């Protein structure tokens, strides 16, 4: 789906937009900016505004023009109370509009941007939020439908006051398009079923992305991983007919003073292995690669936006977790790259096994300043924080503040969780160095503690995205049902914040 963003600064009365989108705040007067159009429309707009335009967040009113030329529709979007509005309110409004007008066969929308600016906020970031919301809200996934969805929204346009620096806005919007392309890629791949989103196909995607944005790409095959001693990662993969692919993407500018590795969980289907999951809802486990695809999306963005001064490496240990005849069994003991032994108590706690080798490999190979992982790791994290918020764990305050800021800038929410060291006891094994699960309580925390064991002294952060990466209910403003595309925008903003701090 191609999508463009465009800026207009011409006079509103001369404009001929398909749809001009205007916010409707509670108890607010009819916007003066629409005065001339209203006059030309014989007060049709101000009359409707006073009598029938709802201001409740998300409510949409489309008023078609009575004239033959000029703007064809005015779309009012309910915004609630002005003083309570934020960039996220704007993003959601744009998402709701995009979704709604797309179905009405309107293929371009133009936002009257200056009226959307939240209190104490600026026009530039408001425009960013509008385009983000519009693009993300216009998403649909019809890859497997014979009858394609022909209603597409191809463009978000912004009507800006005369005198703004158009060139700066164009650059800003280009960046938004790059970032949202990564989110959409994450959605498409998260939604693609396990028979097609295999480790092999994910590796091909990584090669294609690397070629497109000119970053390094290396795929370690099973024998390479054996040689490296990745017993935990290979253990997970061994019950499947799909060969594992350990994907490495490498952005290495000419000069850099920092190195950071992102490790993404990419279990292309998680059946649970021998500890088979119940059938109900198991199909969602096709999205158990959302962490991995977030990292691929991040690396594409990094390749295009080229942050300076840092080498950024994406590591995606892709495999399938299946209960084949040679699958891991409860009680099996496996070893990671550095020789740490793990007693596999539950084969469904497989993500942490793949990540253990991913994290150790990152540290051994690149000696990074920090390692960050993103993973749909535990149902327990969804129980703790609900479906909209990711949990993160870190001992590094700089990482924590960079990530919190990234979340508030992108609307991809996070909440810091404790590395509760007393719980490490729960991971003690009689025969091995560690067991791969604790007790039934605090499962998200014990998973994080397990992973930290493999990071050693390196600054480390674990992000459990099991909740926000997958939406099993309906659309929520700009977030569709299915894979939400949570991740790449958060990680890229995090990276930028981490680099300037
Ligand atoms: N992929 C799942 C976690 C998950 C659950 C992701 C729901 C998205 C939505 C993970 O591999 C898993 O199965 N975790 C187990 C761990 C348990 C066996 C300790 C879980 O959360 O039940
Ligand atoms: Zn699992
Ligand atoms: Zn899993």
């Amino acid at each position: 789906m191609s999508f463009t963003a465009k800026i207009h600064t011409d006079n509103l009365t001369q404009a001929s937009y398909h749809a001009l989108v205007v916010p409707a705040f509670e108890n607010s007067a009819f916007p003066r900016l629409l005065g001339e159009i209203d006059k030309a429309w014989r007060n049709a707009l101000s009359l409707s505004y006073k009598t029938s335009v709802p201001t409740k967040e998300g409510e949409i009113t489309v008023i078609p023009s009575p004239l033959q030329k000029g703007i064809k529709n005015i779309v009012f979007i309910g915004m609630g109370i002005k003083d309570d509005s934020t960039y996220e309110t704007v993003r959601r409004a744009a998402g709701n509009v995009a979704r709604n007008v797309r179905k009405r066969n309107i293929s371009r929308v133009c936002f009257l941007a200056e009226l959307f600016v939240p209190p104490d906020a600026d026009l530039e970031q408001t425009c960013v939020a509008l385009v983000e919301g519009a693009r993300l809200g216009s998403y649909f996934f019809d890859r497997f439908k014979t009858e394609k969805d022909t209603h597409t929204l191809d463009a978000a346009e912004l009507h800006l006051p005369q005198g703004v620096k158009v060139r700066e806005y164009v650059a800003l919007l280009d960046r938004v398009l790059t970032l949202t392309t990564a989110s959409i890629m994450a959605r498409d791949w998260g939604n693609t079923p396990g028979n097609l989103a295999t480790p092999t196909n994910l590796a091909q995607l990584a090669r294609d992305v690397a070629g497109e944005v000119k970053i390094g790409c290396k795929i370690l095959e099973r024998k390479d991983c054996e040689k490296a001693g990745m017993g935990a990662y290979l253990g997970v993969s061994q019950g499947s007919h799909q060969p594992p692919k350990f994907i490495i993407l490498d952005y290495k500018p000419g000069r850099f003073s920092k190195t950071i590795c992102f490790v993404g969980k990419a279990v292309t289907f998680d059946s649970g292995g021998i500890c088979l999951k119940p059938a109900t809802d198991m199909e969602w486990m096709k999205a158990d690669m959302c962490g991995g695809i977030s990292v691929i999306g991040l690396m594409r963005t990094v390749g295009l936006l080229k942050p300076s001064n840092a080498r950024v490496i994406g590591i995606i240990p892709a495999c399938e977790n299946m209960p084949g005849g040679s699958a891991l069994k409860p009680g099996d003991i496996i070893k990671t790259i550095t020789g740490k032994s793990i007693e596999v108590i539950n084969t469904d706690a497989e993500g942490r096994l793949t990540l253990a080798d991913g994290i150790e490999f990152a540290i051994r190979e690149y000696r990074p300043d920090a390692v960050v992982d993103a993973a749909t790791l535990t149902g327990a994290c969804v129980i703790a924080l609900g479906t909209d918020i990711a949990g993160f764990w870190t001992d590094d305050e700089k990482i924590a503040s960079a990530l919190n800021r990234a979340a508030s800038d992108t609307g991809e929410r996070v909440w810091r969780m404790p590395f509760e060291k007393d719980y490490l006891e729960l991971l003690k094994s009689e025969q091995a160095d560690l067991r791969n699960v604790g007790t039934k309580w605090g499962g998200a925390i014990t998973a994080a503690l397990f992973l930290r064991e493999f990071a050693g002294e390196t600054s480390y952060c674990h992000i459990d995205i099991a909740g926000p990466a997958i939406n099993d209910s309906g659309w929520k403003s700009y977030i569709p049902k299915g894979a939400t595309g949570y991740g790449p925008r958060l990680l890229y903003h995090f990276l930028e914040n981490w680099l300037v701090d």
Side-chain angles (χ1 to χ4, degrees):
M1 266 172 278
S2 71
F3 192 91
T4 53
K6 208 171 158 190
I7 313 268
H8 297 281
T9 54
D10 40 1
N11 196 313
L12 263 188
T13 47
Q14 253 104 68
S16 59
Y17 311 134
H18 286 203
L20 179 71
V21 187
V22 182
F25 289 102
E26 241 172 66
N27 301 324
S28 67
F30 179 72
R32 265 195 284 155
L33 269 172
L34 295 181
E36 296 238 350
I37 302 175
D38 188 40
K39 220 189 278 164
W41 288 25
R42 303 225 175 89
N43 300 333
L45 280 174
S46 51
L47 266 175
S48 308
Y49 192 84
K50 276 175 210 139
T51 57
S52 61
V53 170
T55 54
K56 192 169 159 261
E57 252 190 277
E59 298 267 346
I60 284 157
T61 315
V62 180
I63 304 179
S65 170
L67 310 176
Q68 295 304 315
K69 54 180 190 158
I71 292 170
K72 294 183 186 58
N73 297 281
I74 301 274
V75 178
F76 285 108
I77 169 73
M79 298 282 291
I81 299 165
K82 173 116 190 178
D83 281 349
D84 294 347
S85 76
T86 61
Y87 292 129
E88 178 64 6
T89 319
V90 175
R91 211 178 277 120
R92 289 180 185 180
N96 282 321
V97 167
R99 219 169 92 218
N100 189 290
V101 301
R102 184 175 80 72
K103 298 209 188 90
R104 295 172 192 247
N105 247 342
I106 292 176
S107 59
R108 308 170 77 81
V109 282
C110 183
F111 294 92
L112 191 44
E114 58 191 289
L115 297 185
F116 282 91
V117 181
D120 303 321
D122 65 59
L123 182 59
E124 286 187 15
Q125 288 310 311
T126 303
C127 291
V128 167
L130 285 169
V131 176
E132 279 174 341
R135 175 140 203 229
L136 295 174
S138 67
Y139 179 80
F140 58 92
F141 186 70
D142 65 354
R143 179 171 166 196
F144 301 106
K145 292 276 191 192
T146 310
E147 226 164 274
K148 297 297 179 197
D149 196 331
T150 52
H151 307 278
T152 56
L153 186 79
D154 310 317
E157 305 182 347
L158 299 167
H159 184 94
L160 296 177
Q162 272 164 11
V164 296
K165 294 191 177 121
V166 173
R167 242 203 277 143
E168 282 171 20
Y169 277 86
V170 169
L172 198 66
L173 298 187
D174 264 358
R175 186 184 134 95
V176 176
L177 292 182
T178 300
L179 280 158
T180 47
T181 298
S183 313
I184 283 169
M185 188 172 96
R187 288 178 180 180
D188 282 345
W189 280 85
N191 285 329
T192 301
N195 59 333
L196 294 164
T198 57
T200 304
N201 290 346
L202 215 55
Q204 190 53 47
L205 169 74
R207 279 191 208 98
D208 293 346
V209 164
E212 179 198 355
V213 306
K214 305 204 170 31
I215 58 176
C217 177
K218 201 164 149 190
I219 312 292
L220 304 187
E221 303 293 337
R222 182 185 278 123
K223 60 177 187 333
D224 306 314
C225 300
E226 275 164 5
K227 227 183 275 166
M230 298 184 188
Y233 164 58
L234 291 175
V236 175
S237 163
Q238 75 195 29
S240 163
H241 290 303
Q242 291 293 337
K245 302 281 169 178
F246 191 99
I247 302 165
I248 305 160
L249 290 167
D250 189 353
Y251 166 76
K252 192 178 180 189
R255 265 194 291 163
F256 58 89
S257 62
K258 285 180 179 172
T259 299
I260 183 164
C261 294
F262 290 88
V263 186
K265 171 177 172 181
V267 174
T268 57
F269 187 77
D270 179 13
S271 71
I274 293 297
C275 307
L276 196 64
K277 286 181 181 293
T280 308
D281 290 336
M282 201 208 270
E283 70 277 14
W284 286 105
M285 286 301 110
K286 68 182 174 187
D288 209 18
M289 30 75 86
C290 285
I293 192 68
S294 291
V295 172
I296 298 181
L298 165 75
M299 293 307 294
R300 182 184 185 276
T301 312
V302 165
L304 289 172
L305 301 185
K306 301 187 174 34
S308 58
N309 206 24
R311 182 176 186 188
V312 185
I313 296 134
I315 291 172
I316 304 106
C319 66
E320 226 183 31
N321 185 23
M322 295 292 279
S326 52
L328 275 180
K329 303 169 290 296
D332 283 0
I333 293 178
I334 51 184
K335 277 190 176 173
T336 62
I337 295 178
T338 63
K340 273 207 171 66
S341 59
I342 302 166
E343 184 183 5
V344 179
I345 300 298
N346 191 318
T347 64
D348 196 13
E350 83 299 339
R352 64 197 76 182
L353 301 176
T354 69
L355 294 173
D357 272 326
I359 293 165
E360 285 194 347
F361 179 84
I363 292 170
R364 178 171 277 200
E365 200 70 17
Y366 302 102
R367 307 260 155 237
D369 298 292
V371 174
V372 176
D373 80 61
T376 48
L377 204 68
T378 66
C381 197
V382 194
I383 290 174
L385 296 175
T387 55
D388 297 354
I389 306 170
F392 77 92
W393 287 255
T394 187
D395 292 317
D396 184 322
E397 297 307 317
K398 197 181 128 186
I399 290 182
S401 74
L403 193 57
N404 275 323
R405 201 137 36 86
S408 77
D409 288 346
T410 57
E412 297 190 345
R413 280 177 286 169
V414 298
W415 190 256
R416 190 171 182 179
M417 302 278 277
F419 268 136
E420 189 56 54
K421 66 176 184 307
D422 286 352
Y423 295 176
L424 208 48
E425 284 293 305
L426 305 172
L427 294 172
K428 280 204 170 135
S429 157
E430 288 200 3
Q431 295 185 11
D433 299 335
L434 286 166
R435 43 189 269 147
N436 76 330
V437 295
T439 58
K440 68 174 174 177
W441 307 117
I445 299 177
T446 47
L449 285 167
F450 177 89
L451 290 174
R452 188 177 62 172
E453 290 299 295
F454 302 90
E457 296 302 302
T458 306
S459 272
Y460 170 65
C461 179
H462 160 57
I463 314 174
D464 192 332
I465 64 171
I470 305 169
N471 172 17
D472 64 1
S473 51
W475 270 90
K476 293 186 242 175
S477 58
Y478 60 94
I479 297 169
K481 184 172 179 182
T484 61
Y486 181 101
R489 289 193 303 124
L490 177 76
L491 295 179
Y492 190 77
H493 278 253
F494 159 74
L495 173 64
E496 280 191 338
N497 296 340
W498 182 77
L499 284 173
V500 292
D501 268 0

